[in-house]
Amino acid sequence: MNRRLKTLLIKTKRQVFSEMIGNNPSIFHGEGYDFSELREYQVGDDIRKIDWTITAKLRKPYVKLFHEERELSVVAACMMGGSLYFGTRRIKQEVVAEVAAILGYSAVKNGDLFTGAIVDTEVRRLEKPTKRLFSVNRFVEGVDSASVLGRRADYREGLHKLFKRLKRRSVLFVIGDFLSPVDLALLAKRHEVIAVIVRDRFEEHPSPLGQVHLVDPETGATLQTHFAQKSAAAYRAQVIESDKALYRHLRKHRIRFVKIHTDEEPFGRLVKLFGGRV
C-alpha cells in the first residue's frame, strides 16, 4: 500500500469514526426494513414511503410501514473504466476509492455488512460480506490500484451481471463518472440504489486548448484536433444533454444521487446526501 493511500485511509477513518454527526447509528436511512403494512398518510410521514399505486387506486395517499432489520447489507459497486484516469486536482479513480472507504468504514462502524464490487463490462471482483476494517482496506486498495486504461465501465451489461450475483436485498451504491449509457432499472427493483457521480470540473466545463493530441483512455484511439471555443461549447452542450437524460432516468426509478467533483471532500457531500448522517 503506497503512502498516499495510507494517508487517505487514515483521514477517512478519522472522519467516519470521530466526526460522525448525530446520535443515530443507522446511517443508510430507508433500507434494511421488512414490509409490515399499509396505512393512510399522516402529516409528518416520509413522502418517499408513499405507495403511489395504492394511492391512485384509492384516491387517498397511503404509506408503507416497515419493521427494521437487525443489520443492513451495504454494497459499493465501483465502475472502473478508463475515463476514471483523468483529473485536474486528482484523478477520479482516487475519489472513487475514497468514497468506497467512507461507505465501508461507515458500515463497519454501524455493525452492518459491507460488500465491495469492482465492475466494468464484467464483475471483476466481488468481496464476501464483511464487518472487518481489514477487509474494507483491502478492497479500497484494490480499487485504488486497479488498472483502468483500456477498460470500459458498462452501466448496463456490467451491472446486470452484478444483479445476478447479489442475493440479498441491499443498499447499493453505484460509484463512477456515469459518462456511459446507464440502466439501473433492474437493480432498483430489488435494491435501494444510490448513484454517486464522480466528475472533474474540467470535463464538464472545458476551456479552449488549441491544437491538441487526444487519447481515448478506454480504446487507445488517438485524435489530432483543434479544440477551440466552438468545440468546447459543443462538447459542453453534449455533456448537459447527457446528464439531463441521466437525471431523468434516476428520478424515474426513484434513485437518490449525489455528484462529487475531484476538488471536493467526498465525506461532506455524503453527509449532505444523508441529511447529516454518514
Side-chain angles (χ1 to χ4, degrees):
M1 184 182 296
N2 61 54
R3 181 176 297 179
R4 174 189 54 78
L5 181 58
K6 286 182 179 178
T7 301
L8 182 147
L9 291 177
I10 291 171
K11 179 195 76 171
T12 303
K13 191 180 299 182
R14 182 182 299 116
Q15 288 175 324
V16 171
F17 285 87
S18 302
E19 301 178 17
M20 297 287 288
I21 300 175
N23 297 319
N24 188 342
S26 180
I27 62 168
F28 305 117
H29 181 67
E31 181 48 59
Y33 295 81
D34 280 334
F35 175 71
S36 173
E37 61 177 314
L38 282 168
R39 70 157 166 76
E40 195 168 340
Y41 175 85
Q42 297 176 1
V43 176
D45 286 340
D46 188 343
I47 62 172
R48 292 176 298 180
K49 291 185 171 63
I50 293 177
D51 187 313
W52 295 106
T53 301
I54 299 299
T55 296
K57 288 181 179 179
L58 300 181
R59 298 179 181 273
K60 290 183 179 180
Y62 276 77
V63 296
K64 289 182 177 180
L65 298 181
F66 300 86
H67 289 308
E68 188 171 2
E69 293 179 353
R70 293 179 60 186
E71 65 182 13
L72 303 180
S73 171
V74 179
V75 179
C78 299
M79 305 302 297
M80 308 301 288
S83 59
L84 290 185
Y85 197 75
F86 176 81
T88 51
R89 295 291 184 89
R90 55 175 177 160
I91 65 172
K92 292 181 285 183
Q93 184 174 357
E94 294 177 13
V95 180
V96 170
E98 183 170 349
V99 170
I102 293 170
L103 298 176
Y105 290 152
S106 297
V108 171
K109 180 179 184 292
N110 296 331
D112 298 325
L113 289 169
F114 175 76
T115 301
I118 292 179
V119 184
D120 45 43
T121 56
E122 304 284 341
V123 180
R124 300 292 177 182
R125 180 171 178 174
L126 184 62
E127 298 281 344
K128 293 181 179 179
T130 185
K131 294 184 180 181
R132 300 174 59 200
L133 290 175
F134 170 79
S135 299
V136 174
N137 291 344
R138 182 179 61 191
F139 173 69
V140 173
E141 184 176 11
V143 173
D144 186 75
S145 62
S147 177
V148 295
L149 292 177
R151 291 187 176 181
R152 178 175 61 87
D154 194 324
Y155 291 81
R156 291 176 173 172
E157 189 61 29
L159 288 176
H160 282 190
K161 292 175 180 176
L162 178 64
F163 174 84
K164 295 177 181 178
R165 297 183 62 177
L166 294 177
K167 304 304 180 183
R168 180 175 178 178
R169 180 173 170 81
S170 304
V171 184
L172 173 57
F173 292 84
V174 180
I175 313 164
D177 56 20
F178 287 80
L179 293 176
S180 303
V182 173
D183 184 1
L184 303 179
L186 184 61
L187 284 172
K189 288 182 179 180
R190 178 185 295 175
H191 307 283
E192 179 178 352
V193 181
I194 300 169
V196 182
I197 306 166
V198 177
R199 296 276 180 84
D200 189 271
R201 295 189 191 277
F202 185 84
E203 64 188 350
E204 294 184 328
H205 302 275
S207 304
L209 299 173
Q211 193 69 26
V212 291
H213 178 81
L214 303 176
V215 179
D216 187 323
E218 295 183 349
T219 66
T222 62
L223 174 67
Q224 291 276 359
T225 186
H226 189 72
F227 196 75
Q229 185 68 43
K230 187 176 181 180
S231 300
Y235 175 84
R236 170 60 181 156
Q238 185 176 351
V239 170
I240 291 174
E241 287 305 309
S242 177
D243 279 353
K244 284 182 179 179
L246 170 63
Y247 300 149
R248 283 195 301 268
H249 176 76
L250 297 177
R251 292 187 180 107
K252 177 181 178 181
H253 298 286
R254 302 178 69 184
I255 296 171
R256 285 184 289 170
F257 61 91
V258 60
K259 181 181 287 186
I260 302 173
H261 291 98
T262 55
D263 61 350
E264 293 181 305
E265 275 292 332
F267 183 78
R269 298 292 292 152
L270 290 172
V271 166
K272 185 176 181 180
L273 172 67
F274 289 102
R277 293 177 300 164
V278 159

